[in-house]
Amino acid sequence: MPSPKPLSESSESSIESIEIAKIRMDGGTQPRSKLYEEVVADYAEDMKQGATFPPVVIYYDGKDYWLADGFHRVRAKEAIDEKEISAEVFPGELRDAVLHSVGANAAHGLRRTNADKRRAVNRLVRDREWKKWSDREIGRRCGVSGKFVGTVRRELSATYSQIDSDGQDEIDPNTRMAIRGGTTFEMDTTNIRNRPQSEEGKIPKRKRTKKKTATPKIAETQPGKVNKGDVWKLGKSHYLFCGDPPSMKFQKLLPPEIGVFLVFLESRDQWPPAIPENAMNALSFYTSHGEDFHLETLRAITENCLSGTTDANDPVVMINLIDPSLFILIDELECPCYCAEPDPLRCSDALIAWSVTNQPFKKL
């Protein structure tokens, strides 16, 4: 186990004026569940009036400046067209910045919400190294109680049992976990269609032992027939287009800036499309197991990608919907999603899966 002292307590720092354009804010160091525009506006107004704010905290690895504390202050500086900001700069890498960020604002600044505290704990208990720490140590780092850490760890273990078991637990591939309003649902996806594959080019299924559990049934909401060219709105901020990504109908839906561009390739021959210029991050994924792939593993990969690269409200664009439950995961991470899926049956499955959230969906 590393020294219990955060790097910021044991390494010398310097106060410097750093160009905002050089500061990296995309490494998963945002300690809050979301940024508050009203706070940014208040800070910006105070800065205009000459108010002095504490330096932000940055870790410098010799190449990149990783922001660990001060996201609202940086955004406020940008709002008033300032090009530099005062920073306390520590020597260290991205992981040092992350470790500092989880405890940021515990004793100063804008008071943290429960969602902020949970985000900080999630960041450590989902990490391969940090999850081995005791609840008490993680709580000390995050500025919360060990009891709170234990609660979060149990909730995550129930949702993704491989977190604590390193993949040794048997998981029923017909069961999905969805979280809504603090309640964890087991969603039985047995009734979501299993499409037959032709014998030609059929991929042998891997052997898995199904875990026999009593899974509560979730009432299905039938969305009606989904046709090519349809656009469906899920909840308040998600869009599902049944068609090909280059379609102008889909392109018109897309936001001006994309937090993460997700592409789930259908075959070895399908080369990933060019990453849009307005995309901040991208993930391209392919598996030779096709629809027989263990979807709980895919959900964990997707969540790790989104958690490490986005903040709340960052738009996600998804090409091909390999798992009908991914909308639920992205909604839980508070990101709006824009998805293009050419297969009407997969689109219908996504609407059926979405019904577990008790949120509306409608055809536009």
Side-chain angles (χ1 to χ4, degrees):
M1 180 186 297
S3 167
K5 277 192 174 184
L7 187 63
S8 59
E9 295 179 9
S10 56
S11 300
E12 293 185 1
S13 63
S14 60
I15 303 298
E16 304 176 28
S17 183
I18 304 295
E19 289 184 44
I20 293 176
K22 293 182 178 179
I23 299 175
R24 296 287 300 272
M25 295 182 281
D26 59 342
T29 59
Q30 163 59 279
R32 298 190 183 276
S33 61
K34 64 179 181 179
L35 287 179
Y36 297 91
E37 294 301 326
E38 63 273 18
V39 174
V40 172
D42 287 345
Y43 284 4
E45 185 61 31
D46 290 343
M47 289 174 180
K48 285 181 181 179
Q49 301 301 321
T52 301
F53 284 76
V56 300
V57 176
I58 285 175
Y59 282 77
Y60 180 57
D61 60 11
K63 177 185 176 183
D64 293 311
Y65 291 92
W66 298 102
L67 182 63
D69 184 19
F71 281 78
H72 284 97
R73 281 166 277 169
V74 171
R75 294 304 187 198
K77 283 285 187 179
E78 290 178 324
I80 60 175
D81 295 324
E82 293 281 348
K83 304 303 181 185
E84 296 184 346
I85 191 168
S86 177
E88 184 177 11
V89 181
F90 291 92
E93 300 178 347
L94 173 58
R95 285 178 67 80
D96 299 312
V98 170
L99 201 55
H100 179 107
S101 74
V102 295
N105 304 119
H108 69 275
L110 181 67
R111 185 171 180 176
R112 295 187 301 175
T113 65
N114 284 335
D116 295 336
K117 296 174 185 177
R118 186 174 295 273
R119 178 185 174 92
V121 174
N122 280 348
R123 189 67 175 86
L124 297 194
V125 300
R126 292 193 62 82
D127 183 86
R128 187 174 296 276
E129 174 190 349
W130 294 327
K131 72 176 183 179
K132 298 175 183 178
W133 293 357
S134 68
D135 291 349
R136 182 178 179 181
E137 176 60 17
I138 291 177
R140 189 184 75 83
R141 301 284 188 143
C142 297
V144 299
S145 69
K147 183 178 180 181
F148 181 80
V149 175
T151 298
V152 174
R153 199 194 291 269
R154 286 191 297 273
E155 289 175 356
L156 284 172
S157 296
T159 306
Y160 300 107
S161 59
Q162 67 265 38
I163 291 175
D164 285 330
S165 63
D166 292 327
Q168 297 303 310
D169 285 356
E170 297 172 348
I171 303 172
D172 185 353
N174 288 326
T175 300
R176 310 281 196 279
M177 303 304 298
I179 306 173
R180 173 56 50 196
T183 302
T184 301
F185 298 90
E186 272 195 355
M187 186 173 70
D188 184 6
T189 59
T190 304
N191 293 326
I192 294 181
R193 302 169 188 83
N194 292 316
R195 297 174 189 77
Q197 290 180 300
S198 61
E199 291 299 322
E200 182 180 356
K202 186 174 180 180
I203 300 167
K205 290 189 175 182
R206 291 176 294 171
K207 293 181 179 180
R208 300 193 186 94
T209 303
K210 292 186 178 181
K211 182 181 179 182
K212 295 181 179 180
T213 56
T215 305
K217 298 288 183 179
I218 304 297
E220 293 183 0
T221 301
Q222 297 297 333
K225 186 177 181 181
V226 178
N227 298 307
K228 279 266 194 176
D230 285 353
V231 176
W232 290 77
K233 185 173 184 180
L234 287 67
K236 296 180 179 180
S237 57
H238 310 298
Y239 294 88
L240 173 61
F241 171 64
C242 184
D244 297 317
S247 168
M248 286 303 299
K249 198 169 186 180
F250 179 63
Q251 295 297 318
K252 289 179 180 179
L253 292 173
L254 300 183
E257 185 174 279
I258 299 170
V260 177
F261 184 62
L262 298 176
V263 184
F264 297 104
L265 305 177
E266 298 284 355
S267 69
R268 294 179 184 273
D269 299 329
Q270 183 182 9
W271 190 254
I275 300 173
E277 291 184 359
N278 61 338
M280 302 298 293
N281 307 279
L283 171 68
S284 180
F285 183 87
Y286 169 73
T287 174
S288 62
H289 293 283
E291 292 187 0
D292 184 46
F293 181 68
H294 192 187
L295 294 182
E296 286 294 340
T297 301
L298 175 66
R299 286 169 62 85
I301 292 171
T302 304
E303 180 174 7
N304 283 334
C305 174
L306 295 178
S307 298
T309 59
T310 66
D311 296 328
N313 300 317
D314 285 351
V316 175
V317 172
M318 180 163 51
I319 307 303
N320 298 332
L321 187 59
I322 191 171
D323 176 3
S325 300
L326 282 180
F327 270 109
I328 298 174
L329 170 63
I330 296 173
D331 181 71
E332 182 62 29
L333 293 173
E334 299 183 321
C335 290
C337 181
Y338 304 77
C339 176
E341 169 53 59
D343 186 350
L345 292 178
R346 277 191 180 177
C347 292
S348 179
D349 288 349
L351 298 179
I352 293 172
W354 179 256
S355 66
V356 73
T357 68
N358 294 319
Q359 295 187 62
F361 54 84
K362 65 179 179 179
K363 180 180 175 182
L364 300 181

